[in-house]
Amino acid sequence: MPATVSAGAPEADLIIEEDDPSGLSNGAARDDMPPWSILIVDDDVDVHVVTKFALSNAGFQGRRLSFLHAYSSQEALEILRKTPDIALVLLDVIMETHDAGLRLTRQIREELHNELVRIVLRTGQPGQALEHSIIVDYDINDFWCKADLTTRKLFTTVIASLRAYAVLAKAASAREALDAELAKARQVQAAVNKHALVLTLDAHGRIVEANERFCELFKVGREALIGHDLRDLHARFEQVLADQIGAALARDGGWAGDIHTSAHDGTPLALRCTVLAFKHADGVAYQYVALATPIDAGR
């Protein structure tokens, strides 16, 4: 039978209990797993009670559900500010104003910059707002009339929302880890660029990148290097040394040693170098990276 609000309340038939809520579960919850945080936002106390009862035995991925309660959009906004790991907001459209829920949706996305939390709008008066317009104009994940949201439909909506949140949260965590690794790599690169010459070559020995330290020491601009053969830069290379480097790269994937060459203006340069070959799975090199420091840099 339907669960209704108290006498005189403006909304009725909140959730039709057509199924036993004790049978709606998605795996046994474990006490050592943190619960999924769900925020119920509605100015009607009975909606909070009925919603929590309908989901009382639900769980997902071994985690139970934990409920937070807000009775106005402002109260909900404060909770969301203090609790960034809320997975789902079950949000009433009409509260202190006719569009309070819609305004809160915008604040969540644009003011709090929370793109992860799933937002499900619920309304007891669907005629006051065009459903298709809301779905198009607001960043929500579902829209329901309370009279249509049975226990089973609510359960399905909540689990689908939690599943989507879990996927997005995992992707966001991976992206943050990658950003942290990139930041570390940039720091290392900055340190290397400050003290070492770095040259990147394609599979044919043509220069594709040269750092500022390289250009400074060789007294040549990058535009004069990119696309040119390395042998044009090291005209003083002995063929025997060139053959040794090529053989080491093919055999071992790397070579280290001293090179004596000259800058663009003829100034002699003595460099301590390391050259690495980056290869495809079939063993064919697709890129070479050379790092060097002047031999007399520490003298």
Side-chain angles (χ1 to χ4, degrees):
M1 61 180 292
T4 62
V5 298
S6 56
E11 299 175 344
D13 296 326
L14 299 179
I15 300 174
I16 300 175
E17 299 293 350
E18 62 181 21
D19 299 292
D20 179 2
S22 64
L24 299 178
S25 181
N26 194 257
R30 295 168 46 186
D31 292 336
D32 61 334
M33 297 283 284
W36 299 102
S37 294
I38 297 177
L39 175 60
I40 304 172
V41 186
D42 203 296
D43 59 357
D44 191 325
V45 175
D46 287 340
V47 173
H48 292 257
V49 174
V50 171
T51 300
K52 187 174 180 180
F53 173 75
L55 298 170
S56 58
N57 292 317
F60 177 62
Q61 293 182 346
R63 298 167 61 177
R64 62 185 178 85
L65 309 186
S66 176
F67 299 94
L68 300 170
H69 301 272
Y71 300 89
S72 69
S73 61
Q74 188 58 42
E75 186 179 358
L77 192 63
E78 291 303 317
I79 292 175
L80 285 159
R81 281 199 179 101
K82 298 175 183 178
T83 317
D85 63 341
I86 291 174
L88 171 62
V89 178
L90 296 172
L91 177 58
D92 188 20
V93 176
I94 304 171
M95 292 181 287
E96 59 267 43
T97 63
H98 73 282
D99 62 347
L102 301 179
R103 290 176 180 269
L104 178 59
T105 296
R106 285 254 166 88
Q107 289 177 299
I108 292 171
R109 301 306 191 197
E110 299 175 7
E111 183 179 326
L112 301 184
H113 304 290
N114 189 335
E115 304 296 335
L116 294 181
V117 65
R118 304 294 85 192
I119 301 175
V120 175
L121 287 183
R122 301 190 295 179
T123 181
Q125 303 174 35
Q128 295 189 12
L130 295 176
E131 181 176 339
H132 69 274
S133 177
I134 290 175
I135 293 173
V136 169
D137 296 337
Y138 293 86
D139 186 2
I140 64 171
N141 305 106
D142 212 339
F143 185 98
W144 281 96
C145 174
K146 292 176 184 176
D148 297 331
L149 196 55
T150 64
T151 300
R152 184 167 296 280
K153 288 178 181 178
L154 176 62
F155 174 82
T156 301
T157 298
V158 168
I159 296 304
S161 298
L162 293 179
R163 180 174 288 110
Y165 175 84
V167 172
L168 291 173
K170 184 177 181 180
S173 178
R175 185 170 61 249
E176 289 176 0
L178 179 59
D179 288 343
E181 291 300 320
L182 288 175
K184 292 179 182 178
R186 291 190 184 100
Q187 292 176 348
V188 173
Q189 184 180 23
V192 170
N193 285 337
K194 185 176 181 179
H195 301 287
L197 295 76
V198 182
L199 194 67
T200 304
L201 313 170
D202 65 14
H204 305 288
R206 291 187 294 265
I207 300 170
V208 296
E209 186 56 66
N211 73 341
E212 291 183 9
R213 181 65 173 143
F214 187 98
C215 296
E216 175 188 340
L217 205 61
F218 275 86
K219 298 180 174 62
V220 62
R222 287 182 67 258
E223 65 280 356
L225 296 173
I226 305 303
H228 289 273
D229 194 289
L230 180 61
R231 287 171 294 187
D232 297 339
L233 186 65
H234 296 296
R236 294 176 54 190
F237 267 14
E238 296 180 3
Q239 187 60 43
V240 174
L241 178 59
D243 292 342
Q244 290 176 352
I245 294 174
L249 291 173
R251 182 183 64 252
D252 305 320
W255 175 87
D258 296 342
I259 291 177
H260 295 273
T261 183
S262 61
H264 188 65
D265 63 357
T267 303
L269 293 175
L271 304 174
R272 186 143 292 157
C273 299
T274 298
V275 185
L276 300 174
F278 293 84
K279 301 180 179 181
H280 294 294
D282 59 4
V284 177
Y286 64 88
Q287 181 176 270
Y288 301 94
V289 175
L291 293 91
T293 54
I295 292 177
D296 61 350
R299 298 178 184 176

